[in-house]
Amino acid sequence: AVGGSSKAGTALKSQTGWNSQTGDAADRDAYGFSALPAGDSNGHGYFYDAGDYAYFWSASEYGSNVAYYVDLDYDDGSADLDYYYKSHGFSVRCLQN
């Protein structure tokens, strides 16, 4: 829906707030999602990757302790889907239909 997985990351990233970015600036934030690189928390008060990575939880579970998330990286135009432990602190974005 946002250009395929190889371009979706660029299309969802905010124009500013990233330490650095690849890709054409004109392609960023094409849908107004304005993803900011908040990084993540390990669930024990330590925070990592702010300014370089954005991790967003999905509403879909992989298992009772694991859920899917989308990963946006500063050096990659893709949006990658993976799964991880729910105890980690990733960003949440509520969207209304």
Side-chain angles (χ1 to χ4, degrees), residues 12-68:
L12 296 173
K13 291 177 186 174
S14 64
Q15 291 280 341
T16 61
W18 293 78
N19 290 336
S20 64
Q21 289 194 63
T22 59
D24 187 5
D27 294 332
R28 292 185 198 127
D29 203 21
Y31 298 90
F33 189 77
S34 301
L36 291 169
D40 74 310
S41 168
N42 68 357
H44 300 286
Y46 295 99
F47 295 86
Y48 305 95
D49 300 328
D52 292 325
Y53 298 93
Y55 306 100
F56 290 93
W57 284 121
S58 165
S60 301
E61 291 184 322
Y62 181 80
S64 61
N65 294 325
V66 181
Y68 288 100

Side-chain angles (χ1 to χ4, degrees), residues 46-88:
Y46 295 99
F47 295 86
Y48 305 95
D49 300 328
D52 292 325
Y53 298 93
Y55 306 100
F56 290 93
W57 284 121
S58 165
S60 301
E61 291 184 322
Y62 181 80
S64 61
N65 294 325
V66 181
Y68 288 100
Y69 71 94
V70 173
D71 174 11
L72 307 176
D73 299 358
Y74 73 96
D75 63 349
D76 190 358
S78 68
D80 300 311
L81 183 66
D82 207 345
Y83 55 90
Y84 208 68
Y85 296 103
K86 295 177 186 179
S87 59
H88 270 245

